[in-house]
Amino acid sequence: MTDRILVVDDEETLCDVLKLNLENEGYDVDVAYSVEQALALDLTRYSLILLDIMMGEISGIKMAKMMKSNHETADIPIIFCTAKDTEDDMIIGLNMGADDYIVKPYTIRNILARVKTVLRRANRTAGEKVDAIVVDGLKVDHRLKMCTVDGKEVKLSKKEFEILAFLMKNQNRIFTRDELLNFVWKDEVVVLDRTVDVNITRLRQKLGIYGHCIITRSGYGYGFQA
């Protein structure tokens, strides 16, 4: 599933630039030119909010407080994008539960890098909260760190399990080798791209009739499609 991002900023030109560049990176993007417009949307649909602080009658800080106090939106990552650049402002933003704080003016390259990092961290955390993912007779149990096919345990290595769980959680989306390396081998210094291919091949063999669910898009990467 493609990550959906909401950009909330009263500078319409800036919103349009961010929307264009984020969509070029493969995200679904909506914009709101005020907090009032943003609150009229179903915020639970979004994977991340890019939020300006200084806006109209309702500030970005107030919107963040509202989101964090609502259990349905409390876990949605927020990146503050603001011209307020004092240390106190930054501390207030981070204490509000913001996942990052970017000071204007900023480069698009910086924004894209921060968005990718925050989403990767949020997706990893969300994956850890889910006890199990089930697709027909294939089940990945995070709590027991176990994979079963039609009720029978399939012995997977730690890396194989993490790849499968990540792909199943993000079904119908293609990930590059680099993205899989960054997620599964994040703490390792040097890992070859070929390592991903080897683990994918082993997974397909071990999953039997469900091996075909791990798909390859030549020149792009791998995904899971039931």
Side-chain angles (χ1 to χ4, degrees):
M1 184 174 67
T2 303
D3 287 311
R4 180 176 289 275
I5 297 172
L6 175 62
V7 179
V8 186
D9 199 303
D10 56 5
E11 296 183 44
E12 295 189 18
T13 301
L14 179 58
C15 284
D16 293 340
V17 170
L18 288 173
K19 178 178 172 65
L20 175 63
N21 283 275
L22 288 166
E23 286 180 340
N24 286 341
E25 291 296 308
Y27 303 112
D28 290 333
V29 184
D30 294 326
V31 299
Y33 304 123
S34 69
V35 170
E36 290 87 344
Q37 284 187 18
L39 294 176
L41 302 172
D42 179 4
L43 297 179
T44 62
R45 300 171 60 232
Y46 297 101
S47 307
L48 182 146
I49 311 290
L50 278 169
L51 181 59
D52 186 20
I53 287 182
M54 301 173 66
M55 287 183 294
E57 295 184 7
I58 304 179
S59 69
I61 290 287
K62 187 169 182 179
M63 178 176 169
K65 287 181 179 178
M66 295 169 69
M67 289 181 62
K68 295 304 178 182
S69 64
N70 183 338
H71 71 91
E72 292 185 343
T73 57
D75 292 332
I76 299 174
I78 295 173
I79 298 179
F80 279 129
C81 302
T82 179
K84 295 173 70 67
D85 61 353
T86 69
E87 184 177 8
D88 286 344
D89 292 326
M90 186 175 298
I91 290 172
I92 290 172
L94 295 175
N95 284 343
M96 276 300 309
D99 293 79
D100 207 342
Y101 189 107
I102 306 174
V103 177
K104 297 177 181 179
Y106 44 70
T107 65
I108 293 299
R109 184 179 179 183
N110 185 19
I111 286 282
L112 296 178
R114 302 286 190 95
V115 165
K116 185 175 182 179
T117 297
V118 169
L119 282 174
R120 184 167 62 236
R121 184 168 62 237
N123 288 334
R124 183 183 306 138
T125 301
E128 291 169 350
K129 291 179 180 178
V130 177
D131 286 340
I133 305 173
V134 180
V135 174
D136 296 328
L138 175 62
K139 179 179 180 180
V140 167
D141 191 315
H142 285 279
R143 187 170 44 85
L144 297 176
K145 305 300 181 187
M146 182 174 71
C147 171
T148 58
V149 170
D150 297 330
K152 297 181 179 179
E153 182 178 358
V154 177
K155 297 292 186 181
L156 301 180
S157 69
K158 183 175 184 291
K159 298 304 186 186
E160 290 167 353
F161 180 88
E162 290 177 353
I163 291 173
L164 179 59
F166 180 72
L167 292 179
M168 288 181 68
K169 178 185 176 295
N170 297 280
Q171 294 181 45
N172 302 315
R173 178 177 172 186
I174 300 300
F175 293 92
T176 66
R177 290 180 179 85
D178 283 345
E179 287 174 322
L180 290 172
L181 286 171
N182 287 335
F183 181 83
V184 178
W185 284 270
K186 54 185 177 294
D187 298 324
E188 320 230 355
V189 179
V190 179
V191 182
L192 300 177
D193 286 356
R194 178 65 179 161
T195 304
V196 175
D197 301 335
V198 170
N199 279 272
I200 292 290
T201 298
R202 289 175 181 165
L203 265 176
R204 285 176 173 149
Q205 293 171 348
K206 292 180 179 182
L207 296 180
I209 61 172
Y210 296 102
H212 73 277
C213 293
I214 300 178
I215 60 174
T216 303
R217 290 290 179 261
S218 182
Y220 294 97
Y222 298 103
F224 188 96
Q225 191 173 58

